[in-house]
Short mmCIF file of all heavy atoms in Angstrom, two decimals:
data_model
loop_
_atom_site.label_atom_id
_atom_site.label_comp_id
_atom_site.label_asym_id
_atom_site.label_seq_id
_atom_site.Cartn_x
_atom_site.Cartn_y
_atom_site.Cartn_z
N LEU A 291 -227.91 88.88 117.88
CA LEU A 291 -228.24 88.45 116.59
C LEU A 291 -228.78 89.58 115.79
O LEU A 291 -229.89 90.12 116.16
CB LEU A 291 -229.26 87.27 116.68
CG LEU A 291 -228.78 85.87 116.98
CD1 LEU A 291 -227.99 85.81 118.33
CD2 LEU A 291 -229.95 84.92 117.02
N ARG A 292 -228.11 89.97 114.74
CA ARG A 292 -228.46 91.21 114.06
C ARG A 292 -228.51 90.99 112.53
O ARG A 292 -227.56 90.56 111.93
CB ARG A 292 -227.49 92.33 114.37
CG ARG A 292 -227.94 93.72 113.85
CD ARG A 292 -226.80 94.70 114.09
NE ARG A 292 -225.69 94.42 113.23
CZ ARG A 292 -224.39 94.84 113.52
NH1 ARG A 292 -224.14 95.36 114.70
NH2 ARG A 292 -223.42 94.53 112.69
N GLU A 293 -229.64 91.29 111.99
CA GLU A 293 -229.85 91.36 110.52
C GLU A 293 -229.44 90.03 109.84
O GLU A 293 -228.92 90.10 108.75
CB GLU A 293 -229.09 92.58 109.95
CG GLU A 293 -229.59 93.90 110.43
CD GLU A 293 -228.93 95.09 109.92
OE1 GLU A 293 -228.00 94.93 109.02
OE2 GLU A 293 -229.21 96.24 110.31
N ASN A 294 -229.71 88.95 110.48
CA ASN A 294 -229.54 87.68 109.80
C ASN A 294 -230.83 87.38 108.96
O ASN A 294 -231.90 87.73 109.34
CB ASN A 294 -229.31 86.56 110.82
CG ASN A 294 -228.09 86.80 111.60
OD1 ASN A 294 -226.95 86.66 111.14
ND2 ASN A 294 -228.26 87.27 112.87
N THR A 295 -230.64 86.61 107.89
CA THR A 295 -231.81 86.08 107.16
C THR A 295 -231.88 84.61 107.40
O THR A 295 -230.98 83.81 107.17
CB THR A 295 -231.61 86.33 105.66
OG1 THR A 295 -231.55 87.70 105.39
CG2 THR A 295 -232.76 85.73 104.85
N LEU A 296 -233.04 84.20 108.00
CA LEU A 296 -233.32 82.82 108.32
C LEU A 296 -234.50 82.33 107.44
O LEU A 296 -235.59 82.82 107.63
CB LEU A 296 -233.57 82.65 109.76
CG LEU A 296 -232.39 83.00 110.74
CD1 LEU A 296 -232.73 84.26 111.45
CD2 LEU A 296 -232.14 81.85 111.70
N ALA A 297 -234.17 81.42 106.57
CA ALA A 297 -235.20 81.03 105.57
C ALA A 297 -235.25 79.52 105.37
O ALA A 297 -234.23 78.85 105.36
CB ALA A 297 -234.90 81.68 104.21
N LEU A 298 -236.46 79.01 105.32
CA LEU A 298 -236.71 77.59 104.94
C LEU A 298 -236.11 76.61 105.93
O LEU A 298 -235.83 75.50 105.56
CB LEU A 298 -236.20 77.32 103.52
CG LEU A 298 -236.72 78.20 102.42
CD1 LEU A 298 -236.09 77.92 101.10
CD2 LEU A 298 -238.25 78.09 102.29
N ASN A 299 -235.91 77.07 107.14
CA ASN A 299 -235.49 76.15 108.24
C ASN A 299 -236.74 75.50 108.84
O ASN A 299 -237.81 76.03 108.84
CB ASN A 299 -234.67 76.91 109.28
CG ASN A 299 -233.49 77.61 108.74
OD1 ASN A 299 -232.47 76.98 108.42
ND2 ASN A 299 -233.59 78.95 108.58
N VAL A 300 -236.59 74.30 109.35
CA VAL A 300 -237.68 73.70 110.15
C VAL A 300 -237.98 74.66 111.32
O VAL A 300 -239.16 74.95 111.58
CB VAL A 300 -237.31 72.30 110.61
CG1 VAL A 300 -238.42 71.73 111.52
CG2 VAL A 300 -237.05 71.36 109.41
N CYS A 301 -236.97 75.05 112.07
CA CYS A 301 -237.08 76.01 113.13
C CYS A 301 -236.03 77.05 112.99
O CYS A 301 -234.83 76.71 112.98
CB CYS A 301 -236.95 75.31 114.50
SG CYS A 301 -237.02 76.44 115.91
N ALA A 302 -236.40 78.32 112.84
CA ALA A 302 -235.43 79.38 112.60
C ALA A 302 -234.53 79.63 113.81
O ALA A 302 -233.33 79.59 113.75
CB ALA A 302 -236.09 80.65 112.10
N LEU A 303 -235.19 79.93 114.90
CA LEU A 303 -234.50 80.08 116.21
C LEU A 303 -234.97 79.07 117.20
O LEU A 303 -236.21 79.00 117.46
CB LEU A 303 -234.75 81.54 116.70
CG LEU A 303 -234.30 82.68 115.87
CD1 LEU A 303 -234.75 84.00 116.48
CD2 LEU A 303 -232.79 82.65 115.65
N LYS A 304 -234.07 78.31 117.74
CA LYS A 304 -234.45 77.26 118.62
C LYS A 304 -233.82 77.43 120.00
O LYS A 304 -232.65 77.80 120.10
CB LYS A 304 -234.03 75.88 118.07
CG LYS A 304 -234.46 74.69 118.90
CD LYS A 304 -234.12 73.38 118.26
CE LYS A 304 -234.58 72.19 119.12
NZ LYS A 304 -234.19 70.89 118.45
N GLY A 305 -234.59 77.21 121.04
CA GLY A 305 -234.08 77.32 122.39
C GLY A 305 -234.41 78.65 123.08
O GLY A 305 -235.00 79.54 122.41
N PRO A 306 -234.05 78.84 124.32
CA PRO A 306 -234.34 80.07 125.01
C PRO A 306 -233.59 81.31 124.50
O PRO A 306 -232.34 81.26 124.40
CB PRO A 306 -234.00 79.77 126.47
CG PRO A 306 -233.02 78.65 126.41
CD PRO A 306 -233.35 77.88 125.18
N LEU A 307 -234.26 82.36 124.23
CA LEU A 307 -233.67 83.57 123.65
C LEU A 307 -233.47 84.65 124.68
O LEU A 307 -232.79 85.65 124.46
CB LEU A 307 -234.52 84.11 122.48
CG LEU A 307 -234.76 83.11 121.36
CD1 LEU A 307 -235.71 83.78 120.36
CD2 LEU A 307 -233.45 82.69 120.72
N ASP A 308 -234.09 84.52 125.89
CA ASP A 308 -233.99 85.53 126.94
C ASP A 308 -232.54 85.82 127.31
O ASP A 308 -231.73 84.88 127.38
CB ASP A 308 -234.73 85.08 128.21
CG ASP A 308 -236.23 85.05 127.98
OD1 ASP A 308 -236.73 85.54 126.99
OD2 ASP A 308 -236.91 84.46 128.90
N GLY A 309 -232.23 87.08 127.45
CA GLY A 309 -230.87 87.48 127.76
C GLY A 309 -229.99 87.76 126.62
O GLY A 309 -228.79 88.14 126.76
N ASN A 310 -230.51 87.55 125.45
CA ASN A 310 -229.81 87.90 124.17
C ASN A 310 -230.56 89.03 123.45
O ASN A 310 -231.74 89.23 123.67
CB ASN A 310 -229.66 86.65 123.31
CG ASN A 310 -228.90 85.53 123.96
OD1 ASN A 310 -227.68 85.58 124.07
ND2 ASN A 310 -229.55 84.52 124.47
N THR A 311 -229.86 89.68 122.54
CA THR A 311 -230.46 90.82 121.81
C THR A 311 -230.68 90.44 120.39
O THR A 311 -229.75 89.97 119.70
CB THR A 311 -229.50 92.01 121.87
OG1 THR A 311 -229.33 92.37 123.27
CG2 THR A 311 -230.12 93.20 121.18
N LEU A 312 -231.89 90.64 119.89
CA LEU A 312 -232.28 90.31 118.52
C LEU A 312 -232.66 91.63 117.79
O LEU A 312 -233.54 92.35 118.29
CB LEU A 312 -233.38 89.32 118.41
CG LEU A 312 -233.05 87.80 118.58
CD1 LEU A 312 -232.48 87.52 119.93
CD2 LEU A 312 -234.24 86.96 118.28
N ILE A 313 -232.00 91.92 116.68
CA ILE A 313 -232.22 93.18 115.98
C ILE A 313 -232.41 92.95 114.49
O ILE A 313 -231.47 92.44 113.80
CB ILE A 313 -231.01 94.12 116.19
CG1 ILE A 313 -230.69 94.38 117.67
CG2 ILE A 313 -231.22 95.46 115.44
CD1 ILE A 313 -229.36 95.14 117.93
N GLU A 314 -233.61 93.19 113.98
CA GLU A 314 -233.88 93.24 112.61
C GLU A 314 -233.50 91.96 111.83
O GLU A 314 -232.93 92.07 110.72
CB GLU A 314 -233.25 94.47 111.94
CG GLU A 314 -233.81 95.78 112.50
CD GLU A 314 -233.21 97.01 111.86
OE1 GLU A 314 -232.34 96.90 110.97
OE2 GLU A 314 -233.63 98.16 112.20
N ASN A 315 -233.73 90.86 112.42
CA ASN A 315 -233.52 89.59 111.66
C ASN A 315 -234.72 89.35 110.72
O ASN A 315 -235.83 89.77 111.07
CB ASN A 315 -233.34 88.42 112.67
CG ASN A 315 -232.13 88.58 113.51
OD1 ASN A 315 -230.97 88.41 113.09
ND2 ASN A 315 -232.30 89.03 114.75
N VAL A 316 -234.50 88.66 109.63
CA VAL A 316 -235.56 88.45 108.66
C VAL A 316 -235.88 86.96 108.62
O VAL A 316 -234.95 86.09 108.58
CB VAL A 316 -235.03 88.95 107.29
CG1 VAL A 316 -236.10 88.60 106.22
CG2 VAL A 316 -234.74 90.42 107.28
N PHE A 317 -237.16 86.70 108.62
CA PHE A 317 -237.63 85.29 108.65
C PHE A 317 -238.43 85.02 107.40
O PHE A 317 -239.44 85.74 107.06
CB PHE A 317 -238.47 85.02 109.89
CG PHE A 317 -237.73 85.28 111.17
CD1 PHE A 317 -237.68 86.50 111.79
CD2 PHE A 317 -237.03 84.23 111.79
CE1 PHE A 317 -237.02 86.71 112.95
CE2 PHE A 317 -236.34 84.42 112.96
CZ PHE A 317 -236.33 85.67 113.55
N GLN A 318 -238.10 83.96 106.66
CA GLN A 318 -238.82 83.73 105.42
C GLN A 318 -239.06 82.18 105.24
O GLN A 318 -238.09 81.40 105.17
CB GLN A 318 -237.98 84.21 104.22
CG GLN A 318 -237.66 85.70 104.14
CD GLN A 318 -236.73 86.08 103.04
OE1 GLN A 318 -235.99 85.28 102.52
NE2 GLN A 318 -236.80 87.35 102.70
#
């Protein structure tokens, strides 16, 4: 998951994230 913008969600990222790569995502 790279450089996504996640805004105004009830939950931006839901569930287990281990084993995945997160790079420079933006949360608003």
Side-chain angles (χ1 to χ4, degrees):
L291 278 58
R292 188 185 71 208
E293 297 180 3
N294 300 286
T295 297
L296 297 109
L298 304 176
N299 302 284
V300 176
C301 178
L303 298 176
K304 184 176 181 180
L307 303 176
D308 291 349
N310 298 284
T311 301
L312 278 65
I313 304 170
E314 296 183 0
N315 297 285
V316 176
F317 300 88
Q318 299 174 339

